[in-house]
Amino acid sequence: MTKSGKYKLAIIIFIGVVIFTLLIFGAFFIWRDKLLLYGLEKIEAKAKKRYNVNLNIESATFEGFKSISISTITLVPQNEDTLLKVDKVYTDINILPLFKGQISFKELAVYNALCTPTSQNGRTNYSFLFHSETKDDKEGGERNYGKTLNLLIDKVFSMVPDNIKFENLRLNFIKDNYKLDVAMPSLDFKGDEIYSEIILNTGDTSEKWIAKGNINKSQERFKGKLYAASGKLTIPYVQNKWNLKVQMDTLSFSLFEKDYDDDLLKVRGFFSVRNFLFHHPKVDSNDIRISNGGFNFDLLAGNDMLSFDSSSTAIMNDLKFKVFTYYSKKDSAEYKFKLVSEKTDAQKFFDALPSGLFDSFKGMKVKGNIFLTSEFHLDMKNVDSVYFHTTFKDEGFKIIEMGETDFSKLSKPFRYTAYEKGRAVKSFTVGPENPDFVPLEEISEYLKRCVLISEDESFFSHQGFREKAFRKAIADNIKANKFKRGGSTLSMQLVKNVFLSRSKTVARKLEEALIVWLIERQRLASKDRMYEVYLNIIEWGPMVYGISDAAEFYFNKHPAQLTIEESIFLASIVPKPKSFKYSFDQTGQLRSHLAGYYRKLGAILLKRGVISEEEYANLTPTVNIAGRASEFIVKKEVVPDSLNLEETYEPLF
């Protein structure tokens, strides 16, 4: 072909492309309203079919080549109140998807939107939002958390238009008698930057929040923070729902990296809070405060598996911990947890403890280093195999100066105050100045051994903790689906009585464990002295504190005179001293079920060489209540159904 021929062919092809393009755009202009209507009808039909909601659009028209204006959008779940109403939407769309009946937004502006989620008497108008569009993605009977989470992240990033602008966005949340009003005067999303002001009103309080962020859609990365314009950022509704108070200055979140390969999703990110305040009565009676907290996480998600890799790091003030968690539900639910602290300066460790959580250590001066490792493993198909182990080691640790609480007071006379339901009921000196104080050597050997066997037989050999007993307590509580036993040692019970409130909270147990470690590790009191204090302060009955008071209350005796039978009885009531009267039947004799308790404890006494064969053969489950306690034993009284007598004696074995 000659040059002129090639030139003519190129001109013809160019003219053809131009004509074809003009025809396409001409067809688009002719049918674009119908294509838009068709695309909107598909969206409405999809909403109806998949979610059973009515999506109604009053009108939609083109304004310019690729810009459309939509008026009056409503979203109404079947037989429920309107969830969403929008006055105006202006958007630029991608043209090519419109030919397939799909609407893809490039830029979006929304004006005067009102969202009203409601929940009344268990019925909601938003539950459809939590229903999956498709059936659960399962392979070989497994749920692929990695695939599901990966699709969710991809969908969120793909749905974000290039530019977003909201003006006058409102959310009115109503749940029974609780109301929350959220106003967003404006939200701007230009390029990669996000900015919005948020005003929350609960009726009692009003707060203004600022939201800022940066998003990279192509790399699926996000970085943002939420903070209060003034004062504190309070998480609404959770206090009304769960009696949980949460406040902070700033909440930050970052998504650094996402990788999905071979059904395994890896996500790296960071979550942090500044000046965090937390309060729940089951955790602690005080507000718990953390100046800086965070979690640098590596999340793994796959087939029936979720895990935070051991490279994840938790931050609490100036402390850092490596964290590993694992959850799987392939055959049965399986849980793993491991926490490892770095080598930490001991003073730095105590100074970094959350305010309100370990206040008894406030002002303490120490030296040396501390290491902490804690592991937990539970397989629900074999609950009895539960594993729990905590190692709290030190390097050159020493207490230089006590803080607000003198933990060494156990080794010397001190003033003890007994509390009931948070109210002080009795105070007395634990030491020779008190005529009712009984030195350990003057207490019946039977009583001392019976209480040890019942409460903590290895007290004189362990260092404050019995992990075997604690593991058994965890297993029993899981199988009973309630808190049945705590696995506390005698050291822990003593610390609870002398230094802490009697409230059963998570925080109290943590503080209790740390105090026990200090006392035992630093030998702030001898084992003999600790046991002596324990027997002289614990409750033995209604307003009966100390073994001297108990021996007189029940038997009109000195503690040195207590018999084997009397000692076994007193040991049996230690877990529930106020319920002692229910140990007796309608005739005033010990109930028949206690015979087994007497035999078991007597057999242990025999094996330990505390009693002879003859004493064991003559052991009978009978006691003569000669003291004031007889006034509390009412004959023919029916035992309440709510009192489980068997649980009273279970901690013994």
Side-chain angles (χ1 to χ4, degrees), residues 108 132 165 171 194-195 259 273-274 292 304 369 380 426 434 448 457 487 573 588 608:
L108 185 67
S132 175
K165 181 178 179 64
L171 182 144
I194 306 171
Y195 178 85
D259 179 59
V273 292
R274 187 166 61 87
N292 291 289
D304 271 341
N369 298 308
M380 292 301 292
K426 189 174 183 179
N434 181 359
K448 290 187 289 187
E457 191 174 12
I573 66 171
R608 301 288 185 268

Side-chain angles (χ1 to χ4, degrees), residues 397-408:
F397 178 80
K398 185 177 180 180
I399 299 175
I400 300 172
E401 181 182 333
M402 291 291 176
E404 292 192 359
T405 303
D406 182 6
F407 299 116
S408 66

Side-chain angles (χ1 to χ4, degrees), residues 137-143 303-304 330:
D137 176 38
K138 295 191 176 182
E139 300 175 3
E142 298 177 342
R143 181 186 296 274
N303 289 332
D304 271 341
K330 291 182 179 179

Side-chain angles (χ1 to χ4, degrees), residues 315-517:
I315 300 169
M316 182 179 68
N317 295 330
D318 291 329
L319 301 181
K320 291 184 179 181
F321 304 90
K322 290 294 183 182
V323 177
F324 167 76
T325 67
Y326 175 85
Y327 165 76
S328 174
K329 200 176 181 181
K330 291 182 179 179
D331 298 322
S332 66
E334 183 179 9
Y335 307 87
K336 293 181 182 179
F337 172 80
K338 186 174 183 179
L339 179 75
V340 180
S341 73
E342 300 175 346
K343 181 178 178 179
T344 306
D345 177 81
Q347 188 63 59
K348 182 179 177 181
F349 177 88
F350 282 97
D351 289 344
L353 293 175
S355 173
L357 188 58
F358 295 96
D359 284 349
S360 56
F361 299 97
K362 191 178 296 183
M364 178 179 285
K365 303 299 180 184
V366 298
K367 68 176 184 178
N369 298 308
I370 287 177
F371 311 80
L372 172 66
T373 301
S374 184
E375 293 183 70
F376 174 79
H377 180 205
L378 170 65
D379 189 340
M380 292 301 292
K381 68 181 178 184
N382 187 10
V383 174
D384 289 324
S385 68
V386 61
Y387 177 78
F388 176 80
H389 177 71
T390 296
T391 303
F392 202 70
K393 296 182 179 180
D394 67 275
E395 182 182 84
F397 178 80
K398 185 177 180 180
I399 299 175
I400 300 172
E401 181 182 333
M402 291 291 176
E404 292 192 359
T405 303
D406 182 6
F407 299 116
S408 66
K409 75 176 184 180
L410 284 177
S411 62
K412 52 195 174 186
F414 67 94
R415 192 73 178 169
Y416 174 72
T417 301
Y419 289 85
E420 292 188 9
K421 297 180 179 179
R423 182 174 61 90
V425 295
K426 189 174 183 179
S427 292
F428 52 90
T429 299
V430 183
E433 302 92 57
N434 181 359
D436 290 329
F437 175 79
V438 186
L440 190 63
E441 62 271 15
E442 294 182 18
I443 300 175
S444 164
E445 188 66 23
Y446 299 137
L447 186 279
K448 290 187 289 187
R449 297 301 290 268
C450 285
V451 172
L452 277 178
I453 293 169
S454 175
E455 296 299 301
D456 183 4
E457 191 174 12
S458 60
F459 168 70
F460 283 93
S461 60
H462 65 59
Q463 292 189 326
F465 307 97
R466 292 179 300 164
E467 289 191 348
K468 183 178 179 181
F470 192 67
R471 290 195 293 267
K472 183 172 176 22
I474 293 174
D476 289 347
N477 293 337
I478 292 173
K479 288 187 286 188
N481 197 28
K482 65 177 181 179
F483 185 82
K484 188 177 181 180
R485 57 194 302 176
S488 293
T489 62
L490 191 148
S491 303
M492 297 170 75
Q493 295 178 46
L494 179 63
V495 163
K496 174 186 66 177
N497 281 284
V498 175
F499 297 107
L500 301 172
S501 69
R502 300 298 296 272
S503 59
K504 294 182 178 181
T505 64
V506 175
R508 197 214 70 192
K509 294 299 291 185
L510 293 174
E511 190 169 13
E512 177 184 299
L514 189 52
I515 295 173
V516 168
W517 179 82

Side-chain angles (χ1 to χ4, degrees), residues 32 103 157 166 226 258 301 374:
R32 64 177 183 172
I103 298 179
F157 277 98
F166 281 93
L226 187 66
K258 179 181 78 71
S374 184

Side-chain angles (χ1 to χ4, degrees), residues 527-541:
K527 287 284 191 177
D528 281 345
R529 172 58 179 172
M530 291 172 69
Y531 193 35
E532 180 180 77
V533 172
Y534 177 83
L535 293 175
N536 275 276
I537 68 169
I538 64 169
E539 183 182 15
W540 299 87

